[in-house]
Amino acid sequence: MGSRGRTRGGRVPEPEPDPEPEPVPAPAETGGRAERRRLARRVKRRRRTRRVGEVPLLIIVALCIALVLKTFLVQAFFIPSGSMEQTIRIGDRVLVDKLTPWFGSKVERGQVVVFKDPGGWLKGEAARPAEDPVGVKQIKETLTFIGLLPSADEQDLIKRVIGVGGDTVVCCDAEGRVTVNGTALVEPYVSPGNAPSEIRFEVRVPKGRLFVMGDHRANSADSRYHLDEAFDGTIDENGVVGQAVVIAWPFDHWRKLEQPATFRSVPDPAPSGRRGRRGRRRGPPFA
């Protein structure tokens, strides 16, 4: 009689398939790994910021160290003249020891020293370099001030110490050699072709002063050219900047500046003695 539960034609409808479940989103990372990543990125940013901020501080510290080295320990000097050839040539850079005098070390015979111009010695001796362009000049002056670049404009001279306080320095003996306290000097450092001196002199070096000569004897306005001035052309020990210890540049001319052996045989001066005679400005050449 009734057709409830039946479809037309007497078919039973097929059950509809269950709908596919919607994908469930993965739970967001919490705590652990995500937090560690954020922390790592933050640490990296802080490190980069710290490094950038440390650069100026490191530069300031380096400059301060360089300035201290120049003031108290070692300073580079540019050689503008040929008065010390062939030992030291024009354009060489020498390193000067400024530390040992602080410990009471005295200047010795044979040492090469840099000293302040006593007054007029530089006139006509130093060949001044050409002016640098604006900008380059200021940079060089800054680097020179802190000791990272040798100065080409210092009012200093470089010579070899021949006699110290109390010594009697004479030119010349029968063989044309310079003598100190009666001992003749064998001077292989003198520029080839130069006589030990073409100016005759005899000087008793006052205490606290030095008698200096250049190794290029024919081209050095040293103590011999100032014999008619106060203290017979000697210089004050207090004007010595330091001892030149090494030629640092150029590399092919690198060498230590050591005390020649000839000065080791020079005896100490006699306790007393007469003041030496001043030599003539132009003496006959010696062989």
Side-chain angles (χ1 to χ4, degrees):
M1 295 256 317
S3 58
R4 183 177 299 175
R6 298 172 66 94
T7 61
R8 185 181 301 176
R11 287 186 175 181
V12 178
E14 295 180 1
E16 295 181 3
D18 295 333
E20 294 183 3
E22 294 182 4
V24 179
E29 295 184 13
T30 59
R33 188 164 54 182
E35 185 64 27
R36 287 196 296 271
R37 287 179 178 175
R38 284 194 295 270
L39 181 60
R41 287 194 293 267
R42 192 179 303 121
V43 170
K44 286 182 180 179
R45 285 195 299 269
R46 287 179 179 174
R47 286 178 178 172
R48 282 197 295 267
T49 303
R50 189 181 300 118
R51 282 197 293 266
V52 172
E54 287 175 351
V55 169
L57 178 61
L58 292 175
I59 292 175
I60 292 172
V61 171
L63 295 181
C64 290
I65 292 174
L67 187 58
V68 170
L69 288 174
K70 172 194 170 183
T71 305
F72 300 105
L73 302 179
V74 176
Q75 183 176 354
F77 282 84
F78 171 84
I79 305 302
S81 75
S83 67
M84 283 295 293
E85 291 177 332
Q86 297 291 329
T87 306
I88 305 174
R89 301 179 299 204
I90 296 175
D92 283 354
R93 273 72 169 173
V94 298
L95 297 182
V96 173
D97 171 20
K98 303 172 71 173
L99 176 64
T100 50
W102 288 84
F103 294 94
S105 175
K106 293 292 186 181
V107 178
E108 299 179 4
R109 307 180 193 96
Q111 291 179 343
V112 176
V113 297
V114 171
F115 57 95
K116 298 294 182 184
D117 184 2
W121 282 39
L122 276 171
K123 191 175 181 180
E125 178 171 310
R128 295 336 229 174
E131 283 287 326
D132 291 310
V134 177
V136 175
K137 179 180 180 181
Q138 283 69 29
I139 293 173
K140 282 188 173 183
E141 286 176 350
T142 302
L143 295 177
T144 298
F145 174 74
I146 61 179
L148 297 180
L149 192 70
S151 174
D153 197 33
E154 293 279 1
Q155 296 298 301
D156 302 316
L157 297 101
I158 184 167
K159 305 291 180 191
R160 190 180 298 277
V161 177
I162 303 299
V164 297
D167 286 345
T168 299
V169 185
V170 178
C171 180
C172 291
D173 66 2
E175 298 181 27
R177 298 172 298 183
V178 174
T179 67
V180 181
N181 300 334
T183 299
L185 300 180
V186 178
E187 302 183 283
Y189 45 80
V190 172
S191 186
N194 282 196
S197 179
E198 294 187 354
I199 299 173
R200 296 178 183 270
F201 59 85
E202 179 178 348
V203 173
R204 174 89 176 193
V205 183
K207 291 292 184 182
R209 302 190 70 85
L210 307 168
F211 191 90
V212 296
M213 297 171 70
D215 289 355
H216 193 177
R217 299 289 164 81
N219 188 33
S220 177
D222 47 43
S223 291
R224 299 168 298 159
Y225 286 80
H226 301 274
L227 295 170
D228 56 355
E229 299 175 8
F231 304 106
D232 296 340
T234 59
I235 66 168
D236 191 340
E237 282 184 352
N238 294 326
V240 174
V241 176
Q243 178 191 355
V245 293
V246 65
I247 300 171
W249 181 266
F251 290 133
D252 61 354
H253 197 214
W254 188 97
R255 60 174 294 187
K256 290 181 66 177
L257 298 171
E258 299 178 320
Q259 182 187 39
T262 186
F263 290 93
R264 298 172 195 158
S265 60
V266 175
D268 291 333
S272 62
R274 66 182 179 82
R275 189 181 180 85
R277 294 179 288 107
R278 297 179 185 176
R280 291 181 296 175
R281 276 306 191 96
R282 292 288 182 273
F286 293 94

